[in-house]
Amino acid sequence: MTEVLTQAAAQEAEPNPLLEGLRLTRMPAPCAVVIFGASGDLTQRKLIPALYALAAEGALPPGVTIVGAARTPMSDEQFRAAMRSAIEEHSRVPLREDVWEGFATGLFYAHFDLQPDDGLDLLKSRLDESDRTRGTAGNRIFYFSVPPTGVLPLADKLLHAGLCQQGPDNFRRVVIEKPFGRDLESALELNRSLHEDFSEDQIYRIDHYLGKESVQNLLVFRFANGIFEPLWNRQYIDHVQITVAESLGVENRGEYYEEAGALRDIVQNHIMQLMAILGMEPPSNFKAETVRDEKVKLLRAVRPIHPDDALSHTVRGQYAAGWVEGDHVPGYREEPGVKPTSLRETFVAMKLDIDNWRWAGTPFYLRTGKRLPKRATEIVIQFRRVPHSPFGGHVATPMGVLPPDAIDPNLLVLRIQPDEGITLRFIAKVPGQAMRIRSVNMDFLYGSSFLKESPDAYERLLLDCMLGDATLFARADEVEQAWRICTAILDGWRAHPPDQDSFPNYEAGAWGPEEARAFIQRDGREWHRP
Ligand code: BG6
């Protein structure tokens, strides 16, 4: 494997002219990107640094115009200064004066308040001016970095101000951040209302996991290699584990988290997307509709957990104070914005079955949590054990050979982050006179195979949106299917709330509550340690 990868690295250095051609076609038309919620955290930490990185890499045409819109009164100059600091602090690529100069001339601010309906005229005139002077030609992206309750009123305002109607020669798109609804009913309602004003191809529901290189690589790994797909089914795979572990707590987002919890925050979107990509059927091409059709088919096949079974099919947890990566950290109930009696889950584990020919009988175990020992997102595919083992071992058995269940099963570990890469674990002979065997790893690491840094997820997604490519965005029906699965669990949980004293049930720095271990052990399986 190493040799093949070395070759791949060498090929990277000598660009394939065909692919270079494809790269050139990815330059979008000039457009104006309006960021609502421009004084917020996301704008500073992710959106502006991502747009800057695209500019630094020459991926944006010179006319691209960015208008920050928010309630805080600010001049263009003040906004530019704040965004410069944001880039200096958060950008993947260091700030370069020549790039910054060009970038800053396309950066504007429009004071905008939804409630008193203040600032829409200013925004409109800014956009018209950008069409005249910067060649944006009426192309607009409205990025809603606003709380969920603000989405519909804002969409409505823009529509009635005539800002969202696209013509044959220009586009108008809206990008909507998660959370997209808070259960199936609210997501259906949100989609229904948005569809009154926008066509589906104008709506870009963002899930930043889809922009991660290692997530896109799942598609390439599955569908550009011939050797894995024949094994990718119930016949060869015992079960799948998807883990999204975070060492961070809820930080300063206590209030939001009290409303959301781990199921809504991570499972409904990021984990469901990973599961859909991992389990979907091969798409016939890489067009947005084709890929999303396959993903939604997989989600539709997930057997909902009946609310009465929610407790036996899931584990809820909440962290207490403890030690994470050498620091003593407070418990969830001590975090700012959190009720001291909160019953909100910061950890969830569950088992889902997929009712189709590919996956029947191969469960998917999913788990996520805050304040776990480390940050690690990974997918583990555990293959079925050998049916019979002819090997003896240091363990004496009556038959003189190891029973099949004493031989570790093969694992394929797809590391989404950090240390992005793929490990195949298989059994090898330990050198020596005796026939001793043990597991070894074959590794692919992004860092050593490709000598360039991966772009941030938001870079890819913002560029795709400018290009009108919705492949890596969630379609209405995908979001609804993910909510169908999660809402059944939420209903079950609501009917059986945890006792006041059953939470917290894991210490910060542990792999979730003890119950989570027992949960998977019940099926004769173990969680993989990232
Ligand atoms: C966000 C969640 O969607 O994803 C956060 O709201 C979480 O709670 C974050 O921390 C994790 O993203 P990443 O890219 O760091 O894995």
Side-chain angles (χ1 to χ4, degrees), residues 269-300:
N269 35 75
H270 308 327
I271 292 191
M272 289 291 146
Q273 286 292 340
L274 292 178
M275 184 171 79
I277 292 175
L278 195 93
M280 70 195 251
E281 295 303 309
S284 58
N285 58 45
F286 204 57
K287 293 197 175 120
E289 293 321 314
T290 320
V291 171
R292 299 190 299 177
D293 283 348
E294 295 304 341
K295 277 164 61 195
V296 83
K297 256 158 63 184
L298 187 282
L299 293 173
R300 270 199 206 111

mmCIF file of all heavy atoms in Angstrom, residues 269-300:
data_model
loop_
_atom_site.group_PDB
_atom_site.id
_atom_site.type_symbol
_atom_site.label_atom_id
_atom_site.label_comp_id
_atom_site.label_asym_id
_atom_site.label_seq_id
_atom_site.Cartn_x
_atom_site.Cartn_y
_atom_site.Cartn_z
ATOM 1 N N ASN A 269 -27.655 15.560 11.763
ATOM 2 C CA ASN A 269 -27.038 16.102 10.553
ATOM 3 C C ASN A 269 -25.729 15.369 10.211
ATOM 4 O O ASN A 269 -25.693 14.573 9.284
ATOM 5 C CB ASN A 269 -26.825 17.613 10.706
ATOM 6 C CG ASN A 269 -26.484 17.963 12.152
ATOM 7 O OD1 ASN A 269 -25.370 17.730 12.613
ATOM 8 N ND2 ASN A 269 -27.456 18.485 12.892
ATOM 9 N N HIS A 270 -24.673 15.623 11.002
ATOM 10 C CA HIS A 270 -23.360 15.103 10.597
ATOM 11 C C HIS A 270 -23.336 13.565 10.546
ATOM 12 O O HIS A 270 -22.850 12.975 9.589
ATOM 13 C CB HIS A 270 -22.272 15.591 11.561
ATOM 14 C CG HIS A 270 -22.270 17.081 11.761
ATOM 15 N ND1 HIS A 270 -22.614 17.960 10.773
ATOM 16 C CD2 HIS A 270 -21.959 17.854 12.843
ATOM 17 C CE1 HIS A 270 -22.511 19.206 11.218
ATOM 18 N NE2 HIS A 270 -22.120 19.170 12.473
ATOM 19 N N ILE A 271 -23.851 12.919 11.582
ATOM 20 C CA ILE A 271 -23.753 11.442 11.596
ATOM 21 C C ILE A 271 -24.671 10.823 10.547
ATOM 22 O O ILE A 271 -24.299 9.857 9.872
ATOM 23 C CB ILE A 271 -24.035 10.881 13.009
ATOM 24 C CG1 ILE A 271 -22.893 11.295 13.959
ATOM 25 C CG2 ILE A 271 -24.199 9.372 12.980
ATOM 26 C CD1 ILE A 271 -22.879 10.631 15.311
ATOM 27 N N MET A 272 -25.856 11.399 10.379
ATOM 28 C CA MET A 272 -26.761 10.850 9.355
ATOM 29 C C MET A 272 -26.144 10.991 7.957
ATOM 30 O O MET A 272 -26.304 10.123 7.101
ATOM 31 C CB MET A 272 -28.113 11.584 9.381
ATOM 32 C CG MET A 272 -28.945 11.258 10.587
ATOM 33 S SD MET A 272 -29.536 9.549 10.524
ATOM 34 C CE MET A 272 -29.506 9.137 12.234
ATOM 35 N N GLN A 273 -25.439 12.086 7.728
ATOM 36 C CA GLN A 273 -24.799 12.273 6.428
ATOM 37 C C GLN A 273 -23.683 11.246 6.228
ATOM 38 O O GLN A 273 -23.545 10.673 5.151
ATOM 39 C CB GLN A 273 -24.228 13.700 6.311
ATOM 40 C CG GLN A 273 -25.292 14.771 6.109
ATOM 41 C CD GLN A 273 -25.987 14.664 4.761
ATOM 42 O OE1 GLN A 273 -25.485 14.064 3.817
ATOM 43 N NE2 GLN A 273 -27.177 15.229 4.676
ATOM 44 N N LEU A 274 -22.906 11.014 7.296
ATOM 45 C CA LEU A 274 -21.828 10.015 7.173
ATOM 46 C C LEU A 274 -22.433 8.639 6.895
ATOM 47 O O LEU A 274 -21.944 7.879 6.061
ATOM 48 C CB LEU A 274 -20.995 9.965 8.457
ATOM 49 C CG LEU A 274 -20.152 11.205 8.776
ATOM 50 C CD1 LEU A 274 -19.426 11.024 10.117
ATOM 51 C CD2 LEU A 274 -19.129 11.459 7.675
ATOM 52 N N MET A 275 -23.518 8.344 7.608
ATOM 53 C CA MET A 275 -24.141 7.033 7.432
ATOM 54 C C MET A 275 -24.688 6.888 6.003
ATOM 55 O O MET A 275 -24.541 5.828 5.376
ATOM 56 C CB MET A 275 -25.263 6.866 8.463
ATOM 57 C CG MET A 275 -25.887 5.511 8.418
ATOM 58 S SD MET A 275 -27.002 5.248 9.795
ATOM 59 C CE MET A 275 -28.402 6.126 9.219
ATOM 60 N N ALA A 276 -25.292 7.961 5.502
ATOM 61 C CA ALA A 276 -25.878 7.887 4.159
ATOM 62 C C ALA A 276 -24.788 7.635 3.109
ATOM 63 O O ALA A 276 -24.952 6.802 2.219
ATOM 64 C CB ALA A 276 -26.631 9.181 3.852
ATOM 65 N N ILE A 277 -23.662 8.329 3.248
ATOM 66 C CA ILE A 277 -22.590 8.161 2.259
ATOM 67 C C ILE A 277 -21.985 6.767 2.362
ATOM 68 O O ILE A 277 -21.689 6.114 1.372
ATOM 69 C CB ILE A 277 -21.508 9.244 2.457
ATOM 70 C CG1 ILE A 277 -22.090 10.607 2.097
ATOM 71 C CG2 ILE A 277 -20.274 8.943 1.625
ATOM 72 C CD1 ILE A 277 -21.157 11.760 2.355
ATOM 73 N N LEU A 278 -21.856 6.315 3.589
ATOM 74 C CA LEU A 278 -21.249 5.007 3.783
ATOM 75 C C LEU A 278 -22.137 3.870 3.274
ATOM 76 O O LEU A 278 -21.656 2.865 2.764
ATOM 77 C CB LEU A 278 -20.974 4.791 5.270
ATOM 78 C CG LEU A 278 -20.034 3.640 5.441
ATOM 79 C CD1 LEU A 278 -18.623 4.163 5.485
ATOM 80 C CD2 LEU A 278 -20.375 2.844 6.648
ATOM 81 N N GLY A 279 -23.451 4.058 3.417
ATOM 82 C CA GLY A 279 -24.347 2.938 3.121
ATOM 83 C C GLY A 279 -25.042 3.006 1.781
ATOM 84 O O GLY A 279 -25.660 2.037 1.358
ATOM 85 N N MET A 280 -24.955 4.134 1.081
ATOM 86 C CA MET A 280 -25.745 4.315 -0.146
ATOM 87 C C MET A 280 -25.317 3.361 -1.264
ATOM 88 O O MET A 280 -24.222 2.792 -1.230
ATOM 89 C CB MET A 280 -25.606 5.763 -0.634
ATOM 90 C CG MET A 280 -24.227 6.083 -1.171
ATOM 91 S SD MET A 280 -23.980 7.872 -1.322
ATOM 92 C CE MET A 280 -23.994 8.023 -3.092
ATOM 93 N N GLU A 281 -26.180 3.236 -2.254
ATOM 94 C CA GLU A 281 -25.839 2.469 -3.453
ATOM 95 C C GLU A 281 -24.951 3.333 -4.355
ATOM 96 O O GLU A 281 -24.999 4.561 -4.271
ATOM 97 C CB GLU A 281 -27.114 2.090 -4.216
ATOM 98 C CG GLU A 281 -28.026 1.145 -3.446
ATOM 99 C CD GLU A 281 -27.308 -0.145 -3.045
ATOM 100 O OE1 GLU A 281 -26.693 -0.778 -3.910
ATOM 101 O OE2 GLU A 281 -27.364 -0.492 -1.852
ATOM 102 N N PRO A 282 -24.169 2.700 -5.235
ATOM 103 C CA PRO A 282 -23.307 3.498 -6.120
ATOM 104 C C PRO A 282 -24.139 4.403 -7.028
ATOM 105 O O PRO A 282 -25.061 3.914 -7.697
ATOM 106 C CB PRO A 282 -22.583 2.441 -6.959
ATOM 107 C CG PRO A 282 -22.737 1.163 -6.211
ATOM 108 C CD PRO A 282 -23.998 1.258 -5.415
ATOM 109 N N PRO A 283 -23.866 5.701 -7.048
ATOM 110 C CA PRO A 283 -24.603 6.578 -7.968
ATOM 111 C C PRO A 283 -24.076 6.394 -9.388
ATOM 112 O O PRO A 283 -22.910 6.038 -9.566
ATOM 113 C CB PRO A 283 -24.278 7.982 -7.443
ATOM 114 C CG PRO A 283 -22.956 7.844 -6.761
ATOM 115 C CD PRO A 283 -22.862 6.423 -6.255
ATOM 116 N N SER A 284 -24.934 6.647 -10.374
ATOM 117 C CA SER A 284 -24.471 6.421 -11.746
ATOM 118 C C SER A 284 -23.613 7.579 -12.242
ATOM 119 O O SER A 284 -22.884 7.467 -13.204
ATOM 120 C CB SER A 284 -25.661 6.211 -12.676
ATOM 121 O OG SER A 284 -26.490 7.339 -12.606
ATOM 122 N N ASN A 285 -23.721 8.731 -11.609
ATOM 123 C CA ASN A 285 -22.816 9.840 -11.931
ATOM 124 C C ASN A 285 -22.692 10.701 -10.680
ATOM 125 O O ASN A 285 -23.292 10.387 -9.646
ATOM 126 C CB ASN A 285 -23.322 10.647 -13.135
ATOM 127 C CG ASN A 285 -24.710 11.211 -12.881
ATOM 128 O OD1 ASN A 285 -24.997 11.748 -11.816
ATOM 129 N ND2 ASN A 285 -25.590 11.071 -13.853
ATOM 130 N N PHE A 286 -21.916 11.770 -10.784
ATOM 131 C CA PHE A 286 -21.647 12.554 -9.584
ATOM 132 C C PHE A 286 -22.446 13.857 -9.592
ATOM 133 O O PHE A 286 -22.039 14.863 -9.042
ATOM 134 C CB PHE A 286 -20.135 12.813 -9.470
ATOM 135 C CG PHE A 286 -19.713 13.084 -8.054
ATOM 136 C CD1 PHE A 286 -19.967 12.161 -7.051
ATOM 137 C CD2 PHE A 286 -19.108 14.282 -7.704
ATOM 138 C CE1 PHE A 286 -19.607 12.417 -5.733
ATOM 139 C CE2 PHE A 286 -18.739 14.553 -6.384
ATOM 140 C CZ PHE A 286 -19.004 13.614 -5.405
ATOM 141 N N LYS A 287 -23.620 13.800 -10.220
ATOM 142 C CA LYS A 287 -24.452 15.006 -10.234
ATOM 143 C C LYS A 287 -25.205 15.102 -8.920
ATOM 144 O O LYS A 287 -25.524 14.084 -8.284
ATOM 145 C CB LYS A 287 -25.438 14.933 -11.395
ATOM 146 C CG LYS A 287 -24.747 15.003 -12.735
ATOM 147 C CD LYS A 287 -25.735 15.339 -13.831
ATOM 148 C CE LYS A 287 -24.994 15.527 -15.135
ATOM 149 N NZ LYS A 287 -25.413 14.602 -16.161
ATOM 150 N N ALA A 288 -25.534 16.340 -8.558
ATOM 151 C CA ALA A 288 -26.165 16.579 -7.260
ATOM 152 C C ALA A 288 -27.406 15.706 -7.053
ATOM 153 O O ALA A 288 -27.563 15.064 -6.016
ATOM 154 C CB ALA A 288 -26.534 18.050 -7.131
ATOM 155 N N GLU A 289 -28.267 15.658 -8.057
ATOM 156 C CA GLU A 289 -29.528 14.927 -7.841
ATOM 157 C C GLU A 289 -29.277 13.427 -7.735
ATOM 158 O O GLU A 289 -29.891 12.735 -6.936
ATOM 159 C CB GLU A 289 -30.541 15.228 -8.959
ATOM 160 C CG GLU A 289 -31.028 16.664 -8.961
ATOM 161 C CD GLU A 289 -31.271 17.246 -7.570
ATOM 162 O OE1 GLU A 289 -31.889 16.585 -6.722
ATOM 163 O OE2 GLU A 289 -30.808 18.374 -7.312
ATOM 164 N N THR A 290 -28.357 12.925 -8.532
ATOM 165 C CA THR A 290 -28.097 11.486 -8.526
ATOM 166 C C THR A 290 -27.526 11.052 -7.169
ATOM 167 O O THR A 290 -27.982 10.081 -6.574
ATOM 168 C CB THR A 290 -27.081 11.123 -9.632
ATOM 169 O OG1 THR A 290 -27.379 11.886 -10.779
ATOM 170 C CG2 THR A 290 -27.097 9.666 -9.944
ATOM 171 N N VAL A 291 -26.540 11.805 -6.698
ATOM 172 C CA VAL A 291 -25.904 11.440 -5.427
ATOM 173 C C VAL A 291 -26.926 11.552 -4.300
ATOM 174 O O VAL A 291 -27.052 10.669 -3.445
ATOM 175 C CB VAL A 291 -24.673 12.350 -5.157
ATOM 176 C CG1 VAL A 291 -24.132 12.131 -3.764
ATOM 177 C CG2 VAL A 291 -23.594 12.096 -6.201
ATOM 178 N N ARG A 292 -27.700 12.631 -4.324
ATOM 179 C CA ARG A 292 -28.643 12.835 -3.220
ATOM 180 C C ARG A 292 -29.812 11.856 -3.278
ATOM 181 O O ARG A 292 -30.345 11.452 -2.258
ATOM 182 C CB ARG A 292 -29.078 14.299 -3.184
ATOM 183 C CG ARG A 292 -27.832 15.189 -2.951
ATOM 184 C CD ARG A 292 -28.135 16.618 -2.671
ATOM 185 N NE ARG A 292 -28.839 17.321 -3.717
ATOM 186 C CZ ARG A 292 -29.228 18.589 -3.604
ATOM 187 N NH1 ARG A 292 -28.989 19.268 -2.505
ATOM 188 N NH2 ARG A 292 -29.837 19.188 -4.597
ATOM 189 N N ASP A 293 -30.175 11.428 -4.491
ATOM 190 C CA ASP A 293 -31.219 10.389 -4.602
ATOM 191 C C ASP A 293 -30.768 9.134 -3.867
ATOM 192 O O ASP A 293 -31.531 8.511 -3.143
ATOM 193 C CB ASP A 293 -31.461 10.003 -6.072
ATOM 194 C CG ASP A 293 -32.287 11.043 -6.809
ATOM 195 O OD1 ASP A 293 -32.858 11.929 -6.142
ATOM 196 O OD2 ASP A 293 -32.334 10.974 -8.061
ATOM 197 N N GLU A 294 -29.505 8.765 -4.070
ATOM 198 C CA GLU A 294 -29.009 7.531 -3.441
ATOM 199 C C GLU A 294 -28.924 7.691 -1.925
ATOM 200 O O GLU A 294 -29.240 6.769 -1.173
ATOM 201 C CB GLU A 294 -27.650 7.125 -4.020
ATOM 202 C CG GLU A 294 -27.671 6.741 -5.491
ATOM 203 C CD GLU A 294 -28.650 5.610 -5.817
ATOM 204 O OE1 GLU A 294 -29.052 4.869 -4.910
ATOM 205 O OE2 GLU A 294 -29.025 5.500 -7.004
ATOM 206 N N LYS A 295 -28.481 8.868 -1.490
ATOM 207 C CA LYS A 295 -28.370 9.073 -0.038
ATOM 208 C C LYS A 295 -29.743 9.006 0.618
ATOM 209 O O LYS A 295 -29.925 8.386 1.665
ATOM 210 C CB LYS A 295 -27.709 10.429 0.250
ATOM 211 C CG LYS A 295 -26.198 10.372 0.171
ATOM 212 C CD LYS A 295 -25.566 11.730 0.065
ATOM 213 C CE LYS A 295 -25.861 12.603 1.254
ATOM 214 N NZ LYS A 295 -25.538 14.022 0.985
ATOM 215 N N VAL A 296 -30.699 9.632 -0.018
ATOM 216 C CA VAL A 296 -32.017 9.669 0.617
ATOM 217 C C VAL A 296 -32.661 8.275 0.626
ATOM 218 O O VAL A 296 -33.376 7.911 1.561
ATOM 219 C CB VAL A 296 -32.917 10.760 -0.020
ATOM 220 C CG1 VAL A 296 -33.592 10.294 -1.282
ATOM 221 C CG2 VAL A 296 -33.944 11.250 0.971
ATOM 222 N N LYS A 297 -32.347 7.483 -0.383
ATOM 223 C CA LYS A 297 -32.877 6.105 -0.412
ATOM 224 C C LYS A 297 -32.362 5.325 0.794
ATOM 225 O O LYS A 297 -33.092 4.569 1.419
ATOM 226 C CB LYS A 297 -32.425 5.408 -1.702
ATOM 227 C CG LYS A 297 -33.536 5.322 -2.717
ATOM 228 C CD LYS A 297 -33.057 5.141 -4.129
ATOM 229 C CE LYS A 297 -32.306 3.864 -4.414
ATOM 230 N NZ LYS A 297 -31.794 3.841 -5.793
ATOM 231 N N LEU A 298 -31.085 5.536 1.103
ATOM 232 C CA LEU A 298 -30.511 4.840 2.266
ATOM 233 C C LEU A 298 -31.214 5.302 3.548
ATOM 234 O O LEU A 298 -31.625 4.487 4.372
ATOM 235 C CB LEU A 298 -29.001 5.108 2.309
ATOM 236 C CG LEU A 298 -28.113 4.389 3.313
ATOM 237 C CD1 LEU A 298 -28.204 4.977 4.717
ATOM 238 C CD2 LEU A 298 -28.390 2.881 3.385
ATOM 239 N N LEU A 299 -31.376 6.609 3.683
ATOM 240 C CA LEU A 299 -31.998 7.122 4.915
ATOM 241 C C LEU A 299 -33.433 6.612 5.053
ATOM 242 O O LEU A 299 -33.896 6.300 6.144
ATOM 243 C CB LEU A 299 -31.963 8.652 4.940
ATOM 244 C CG LEU A 299 -30.562 9.264 5.068
ATOM 245 C CD1 LEU A 299 -30.613 10.780 4.904
ATOM 246 C CD2 LEU A 299 -29.925 8.913 6.412
ATOM 247 N N ARG A 300 -34.113 6.517 3.910
ATOM 248 C CA ARG A 300 -35.493 6.012 3.954
ATOM 249 C C ARG A 300 -35.544 4.560 4.436
ATOM 250 O O ARG A 300 -36.536 4.121 4.991
ATOM 251 C CB ARG A 300 -36.118 6.059 2.552
ATOM 252 C CG ARG A 300 -36.792 7.337 2.295
ATOM 253 C CD ARG A 300 -37.775 7.212 1.129
ATOM 254 N NE ARG A 300 -37.904 8.527 0.561
ATOM 255 C CZ ARG A 300 -37.455 8.896 -0.623
ATOM 256 N NH1 ARG A 300 -36.907 8.014 -1.428
ATOM 257 N NH2 ARG A 300 -37.572 10.126 -1.021
#
